[in-house]
Amino acid sequence: MLAFLVRRLLTLALTAWLATLVVFAVLEAIPGDPALVMLGTSAQPEAVAALRAQMGLDRPWPVRYAGWVGGMLHGDFGTSLTYARPVAGLVADRLAITLPLAGLALVLSAGIRPPPRPVPPPGRGRGGGPAPFYTSRAPRARGKPLGPLLLEK
């Protein structure tokens, strides 16, 4: 059991690391210079260089990646360039709406699903291997899958 948990935790850590690496690579691959976009094309090169240094864009990518991941691990998601507010606050504002909607979707999906039906244990005329005692029936009506029925007029 301990080996299983260790494997799961290692898989979780590897997946999270790969996800952060892919997101960082995609953000780095976006064309254009953020400092030049913020200041405009007519900005002085010294001002662009100063803003790049302030934003940390003059550092090599491994250093920026380490700082980005380290900030996320400490709860510092940075500042939104669009709203000039901390990103954590913006996410919290959106979660106040998203979580109730997700909860409602969960309740509705649980209420719409077909009821479970008992399945006889293996070896009682059904054969086969181990199966859960309760499973859900596939939604069917008049011998057709339910999906096409919803699309019919």
Side-chain angles (χ1 to χ4, degrees):
M1 181 67 169
L2 182 63
F4 172 75
L5 290 176
V6 168
R7 275 196 322 267
R8 285 294 182 138
L9 288 175
L10 287 175
T11 303
L12 172 72
L14 179 66
T15 304
W17 175 69
L18 286 174
T20 62
L21 202 58
V22 167
V23 168
F24 187 80
V26 167
L27 290 174
E28 287 291 309
I30 295 174
D33 183 4
L36 191 59
V37 170
M38 289 176 67
L39 295 176
T41 55
S42 62
Q44 298 293 325
E46 298 82 21
V48 173
L51 184 57
R52 285 182 58 79
Q54 177 187 353
M55 295 173 69
L57 297 173
D58 58 343
R59 298 180 296 173
W61 75 265
V63 175
R64 289 195 315 267
Y65 174 73
W68 182 65
V69 171
M72 284 193 302
L73 290 175
H74 287 98
D76 177 18
F77 297 109
T79 303
S80 168
L81 300 177
T82 304
Y83 297 105
R85 288 183 47 203
V87 173
L90 293 171
V91 171
D93 291 346
R94 271 58 173 192
L95 278 179
I97 297 170
T98 302
L99 289 179
L101 286 175
L104 179 63
L106 180 66
V107 168
L108 288 176
S109 66
I112 292 174
R113 74 163 180 78
R117 66 181 171 104
V119 175
R124 293 204 181 169
R126 297 218 38 206
F133 187 70
Y134 285 94
T135 62
S136 292
R137 284 179 263 195
R140 297 207 170 259
R142 286 185 253 137
K144 295 182 184 177
L146 186 59
L149 288 177
L150 297 175
L151 298 176
E152 293 178 3
K153 288 187 177 184

